[in-house]
Amino acid sequence: MQFTEQFDIVVVGAGHAGCEAAMAAARMGLKTALYTLNVDLIAQMSCNPAIGGIAKGHLVREVDALGGIMGEITDAVGIQFRLLNTSRGPAVWSPRAQCDKQAYRLKMREVLESQPNLKIKQAEVADLILEDRYQPSAISHQPERVPHPSPFFGEGGDFDSQRPTTHDQRQIRGIRLRDGRTVGAQAVIITTGTFLNGLIHCGEQQYPAGRSGEPNAVLLGEALKQLGLRGCRLKTGTPPRLDGRSIDWSRFQEQPGDADPTPFSFRTRRVAHHDSQVPCYLAWTTPETHRIIRENVHRSPMYSGQIKSIGPRYCPSIEDKIVKFPDKATHQLFLEPEGLNTHEIYVNGMSTSLPVEVQLEILKTIPGLETAEMLRPGYAIEYDAIDPTELERTLETKKIGGLFLGGQINGTSGYEEAACQGLMAGINAALKVKNAPPLILDRTEAYTAILIDDLISKGTNEPYRMFTSRAEFRLHLRVDNADRRLTPHGCRIGLISDAAWKDFQAKQERLDSLRTSLEKTKLTSSMLEIITAGVEAGDSPALSAETDLSSAIGQPIAQLLKRPEVTVEQLVGVLRELVPAFFERNDSVSSVVNIPSDVRNELKSVETEIKYEGYLLQQQRAIERLKKAEQRTIPDWFDYASVSGLSREMQEKLLKIRPRTLAHASRIPGVTPAAVSLVNVYIEIQSRKRAPAVV
């Protein structure tokens, strides 16, 4: 058919997933179009104006290491930076940044508009254009607008009987816009966030919207249902925003940023607002707050039955907290600025869908907010999502070739989870168009891979959030080594510039050289005097009174660093003399402390590798065992129905997911080790039976 325009790749939706997908495809040399309902709201921070946090910071670092842009944008517009969990082990250290909400979307748009091969288009995508490979004629669905979306779709009904079993039967050919124009594409990436049949709830009121004040996407939502993809309804929410001028700030505990911020991007030397960070503040609910919520909880759509979908378990509404934790006398809230040029304040921890008048009552019970003026009320939103077990590991749908999904449409929650999916979808869509092998990360090398593997193996019935506890080998998956793990992949596919790759190689050489020096150089009495003098002068952290380092004389410095009471900062005086080149760099930036932030971060990375060497080696052996299991593939032709002893339940689970490997099969909920062993045996049996037929 004739198309109005033709692109290699089309991305639908310009949220955090869509921006990463579009940038990746364009940077990989493909003609790309990014469609959005409103170009002025590209990368809008719909909820919290912050990036990172526990495990989420790991995802942003991985996006950056692969060549994504979220980290660099955050460094440019962040107004407060903190490295969380530093009182614990380095595996769970996570960067977080409060951002200027308006500046974030403006900076993102600037970056997108300056990218060659990328066009930004404002239009509503109403439908997908497919081609039946066996009957090559373009087909398109024209669903009717419906007043209210159904709570579940794709499970049984008219669509299931017509569902194809493989995407070899249908191939994406483009999109149809609401105004009738058609746009051809070899791959389409859908990253629609909460817009698919979005429905906002605030008390007893409900109205269609994709986000407050923005229309939802009904036509595209209905078109996706017609494709026969299993899906469900999910729910998320947001808290009220306040006028900072009406808040009594003296009543709250100030929470400042780090004195020397750690950037998100490995390519950032110094964050833009290094010397002009703004504080956040801690607040607490009161017994009166809880009384008002309990008396009005029946008016919350979540408890009245008005909302039937499932919300995020790990980001509960304030009414959920009060109902589910009745013994807690108080709950913590955070007052966070939305930008440098606005007085708007985000009340983190008070997500709610209670009526507006009840929200106002609640605010007045919090010390310091008695006279606070509410600029925007909190609300809940329901939206359509696709069952992620419908996806391949590349995030391409199993049933429709060339159709990729990323972000909240796959059942996740959060900007960071969306960004990493968008990046991987963009990369793999581009590689597919180029007829190149896909980029598939495994669970041992990235949180991004854990997220994707969890989604496609287990599915989700609630918005999925990343945690460090989801990783089997989290000491290997730290924020400081994300570049070592993933930047070679980014370079191979063309997302890392030559200059960035040169910097990466130089950094790895510095780290290896420093570690070698620490392992080969033995501690002397003069070195010990330098360490002691630095501690006494206050230039390095103090040692406990019981600490005696004299017994370490004659041992390698690396051995001394393995002691839990010794940190690399205490050795800086010695290291300056031992490896002066490590500290003398032309690109280092000044710091409020005596070590520039980039030097400090590299020192801590080497310290971690040395101090936890035993645990890292133990995990490496476990990783190798897992990789052996991952190498045992399950052929596409494998017949689960003929496996004697495999229960119907096991057959149904395995047929639904169609695991790629034995290790993948073992991670499917309900699939027992015995079932995996049976599959392993029958792979050999069925292979032998097929051998004569193949010959």
Side-chain angles (χ1 to χ4, degrees):
M1 68 181 292
Q2 294 295 314
F3 293 102
T4 310
E5 285 187 278
Q6 184 76 44
F7 294 92
D8 295 319
I9 292 178
V10 163
V11 181
V12 181
H16 303 281
C19 291
E20 294 289 352
M23 279 295 292
R27 281 180 170 176
M28 291 172 72
L30 297 178
K31 188 179 177 184
T32 306
L34 175 62
Y35 280 85
T36 176
L37 291 171
N38 189 338
V39 295
D40 294 324
L41 296 176
I42 287 172
Q44 170 78 328
M45 299 178 117
S46 311
C47 199
N48 191 355
I51 295 294
I54 305 301
K56 291 170 174 280
H58 290 70
L59 292 175
V60 181
R61 274 294 182 93
E62 291 180 356
V63 166
D64 182 76
L66 281 167
I69 53 176
M70 176 175 268
E72 291 177 290
I73 301 293
T74 301
D75 291 339
V77 304
I79 56 179
Q80 190 206 71
F81 291 81
R82 296 180 67 219
L83 189 60
L84 307 180
N85 266 354
T86 52
S87 62
R88 300 184 180 184
V92 295
W93 293 355
S94 297
R96 181 188 187 275
Q98 197 70 24
C99 293
D100 187 311
K101 183 176 180 177
Q102 182 183 31
Y104 189 95
R105 69 170 187 259
L106 292 176
K107 183 65 176 178
M108 182 66 79
R109 181 173 177 179
E110 175 190 331
V111 170
L112 293 174
E113 288 181 337
S114 65
Q115 176 60 43
N117 301 320
L118 178 58
K119 301 292 184 184
I120 302 174
K121 307 278 188 174
Q122 179 168 305
E124 180 179 351
V125 176
D127 202 359
L128 301 178
I129 299 172
L130 309 180
E131 179 180 86
D132 188 320
R133 288 184 174 179
Y134 297 109
Q135 298 176 1
S137 60
I139 60 170
S140 178
H141 304 286
Q142 296 293 334
E144 297 180 359
R145 183 175 290 273
V146 293
H148 296 290
S150 58
F152 294 93
F153 57 88
E155 293 289 354
D158 295 336
F159 305 143
D160 278 20
S161 60
Q162 300 171 6
R163 218 184 260 174
T165 58
T166 169
H167 66 54
D168 285 341
Q169 291 179 289
R170 292 188 291 177
Q171 174 71 31
I172 200 77
R173 284 291 173 253
I175 59 172
R176 188 184 304 280
L177 305 180
R178 185 171 185 171
D179 59 23
R181 288 178 292 160
T182 57
V183 180
Q186 296 181 62
V188 173
I189 306 169
I190 299 181
T191 60
T192 45
T194 60
F195 279 71
L196 290 182
N197 283 319
L199 188 65
I200 281 180
H201 300 263
C202 188
E204 294 83 5
Q205 294 184 347
Q206 57 178 327
Y207 54 92
R211 209 162 33 205
S212 182
E214 298 178 58
N216 60 358
V218 174
L219 294 175
L220 182 58
E222 293 306 302
L224 287 173
K225 291 182 186 181
Q226 297 288 337
L227 297 179
L229 300 173
R230 291 187 304 274
C232 67
R233 296 282 283 173
L234 296 177
K235 169 261 176 191
T236 189
T238 192
R241 273 64 157 186
L242 310 179
D243 187 334
R245 294 167 295 186
S246 63
I247 294 174
D248 182 359
W249 294 106
S250 66
R251 306 284 296 279
F252 304 106
Q253 177 186 340
E254 184 176 300
Q255 189 180 54
D258 292 342
D260 194 24
T262 298
F264 270 91
S265 175
F266 292 99
R267 298 176 288 279
T268 300
R269 300 299 176 205
R270 181 185 174 99
V271 301
H273 295 287
H274 184 285
D275 300 319
S276 56
Q277 295 188 76
V278 299
C280 296
Y281 294 85
L282 295 177
W284 299 89
T285 61
T286 65
E288 180 64 9
T289 311
H290 300 191
R291 182 191 66 78
I292 292 172
I293 292 172
R294 280 194 294 267
E295 289 180 357
N296 290 277
V297 73
H298 64 281
R299 301 184 65 188
S300 167
M302 286 293 292
Y303 287 90
S304 68
Q306 185 172 303
I307 292 178
K308 295 181 173 61
S309 51
I310 302 171
R313 179 189 303 267
Y314 302 105
C315 186
S317 65
I318 188 68
E319 51 264 41
D320 252 354
K321 293 177 185 177
I322 303 308
V323 171
K324 293 180 179 177
F325 305 99
D327 297 334
K328 290 204 69 171
T330 185
H331 291 275
Q332 194 174 53
L333 305 174
F334 297 87
L335 302 182
E336 302 173 344
E338 296 230 334
L340 296 177
N341 300 311
T342 178
H343 296 288
E344 193 166 359
I345 301 297
Y346 179 94
V347 188
N348 192 344
M350 197 184 152
S351 174
T352 183
S353 58
L354 285 164
V356 174
E357 62 272 20
V358 178
Q359 294 185 38
L360 288 168
E361 273 190 79
I362 291 170
L363 290 169
K364 294 184 185 304
T365 66
I366 297 169
L369 299 183
E370 294 90 345
T371 60
E373 295 182 15
M374 187 165 66
L375 298 179
R376 313 184 201 206
Y379 63 85
I381 183 167
E382 287 185 286
Y383 56 95
D384 285 349
I386 300 299
D387 180 351
T389 62
E390 291 276 8
L391 303 174
E392 305 282 4
R393 290 168 68 87
T394 59
L395 297 181
E396 183 181 20
T397 58
K398 294 176 180 177
K399 296 168 183 171
I400 301 166
L403 177 61
F404 293 77
L405 308 181
Q408 282 184 280
I409 191 174
N410 291 339
T412 59
S413 171
Y415 310 145
E416 303 82 3
E417 288 88 344
C420 71
Q421 290 176 74
L423 179 64
M424 294 306 294
I427 289 171
N428 282 309
L431 291 172
K432 183 181 179 72
V433 171
K434 290 181 171 186
N435 291 317
L439 175 61
I440 297 176
L441 305 174
D442 67 56
R443 294 180 70 93
T444 66
E445 59 183 336
Y447 277 94
T448 298
I450 292 168
L451 180 146
I452 293 172
D453 186 66
D454 282 350
L455 289 174
I456 67 170
S457 301
K458 304 172 184 176
T460 185
N461 61 358
E462 62 186 48
Y464 177 102
R465 186 201 190 282
M466 179 50 69
F467 290 101
T468 53
S469 59
R470 296 190 189 273
E472 297 90 341
F473 310 108
R474 63 185 184 180
L475 192 54
H476 271 272
L477 306 182
R478 307 185 309 275
V479 292
D480 66 271
N481 69 356
D483 56 342
R484 179 174 286 198
R485 291 184 276 119
L486 300 176
T487 295
H489 290 303
C491 181
R492 177 173 59 81
I493 59 178
L495 289 182
I496 300 296
S497 68
D498 291 342
W501 179 246
K502 185 178 178 181
D503 288 343
F504 166 78
Q505 289 180 309
K507 176 186 173 182
Q508 300 313 310
E509 289 173 4
R510 285 195 303 271
L511 297 179
D512 292 342
S513 176
L514 176 60
R515 180 167 182 175
T516 299
S517 296
L518 290 171
E519 289 173 340
K520 290 185 175 181
T521 305
K522 294 184 178 179
L523 185 70
T524 64
S525 55
S526 60
M527 290 178 181
L528 187 54
E529 289 175 5
I530 294 173
I531 294 171
T532 304
V535 170
E536 291 174 351
D539 295 332
S540 58
L543 290 164
S544 66
E546 299 81 20
T547 302
D548 179 14
L549 302 183
S550 60
S551 61
I553 293 176
Q555 296 180 354
I557 299 176
Q559 191 65 33
L560 173 64
L561 196 53
K562 288 185 178 182
R563 296 188 179 190
E565 70 272 18
V566 177
T567 66
V568 74
E569 289 90 345
Q570 293 159 343
L571 307 182
V572 166
V574 172
L575 296 178
R576 284 189 189 277
E577 295 186 6
L578 183 63
V579 282
F582 188 88
F583 295 86
E584 297 166 3
R585 307 181 198 173
N586 295 329
D587 59 353
S588 283
V589 295
S590 60
S591 168
V592 294
V593 294
N594 61 354
I595 311 173
S597 60
D598 55 337
V599 175
R600 182 196 67 223
N601 292 335
E602 290 181 16
L603 286 171
K604 296 302 288 184
S605 184
V606 172
E607 178 187 11
T608 299
E609 294 284 340
I610 291 174
K611 196 179 289 289
Y612 297 94
E613 182 181 25
Y615 295 104
L616 287 166
L617 289 173
Q618 188 179 36
Q619 285 195 0
Q620 186 60 46
R621 288 191 290 268
I623 287 172
E624 289 167 3
R625 289 195 297 270
L626 178 61
K627 285 188 173 180
K628 285 182 181 178
E630 289 286 3
Q631 289 169 1
R632 181 61 162 156
T633 59
I634 302 174
D636 292 337
W637 46 257
F638 187 76
D639 181 12
Y640 292 101
S642 66
V643 177
S644 177
L646 197 62
S647 69
R648 181 176 291 276
E649 178 192 3
M650 295 298 122
Q651 290 179 19
E652 288 175 354
K653 290 177 182 294
L654 292 163
L655 282 167
K656 178 182 177 182
I657 305 297
R658 300 294 308 190
R660 188 178 51 87
T661 65
L662 288 179
H664 186 188
S666 69
R667 294 191 292 270
I668 298 173
V671 174
T672 63
V676 175
S677 296
L678 275 172
V679 171
N680 188 28
V681 170
Y682 271 80
I683 290 174
E684 293 296 332
I685 294 172
Q686 293 185 19
S687 294
R688 286 197 296 269
K689 288 181 178 178
R690 284 176 57 87
V694 172
V695 174

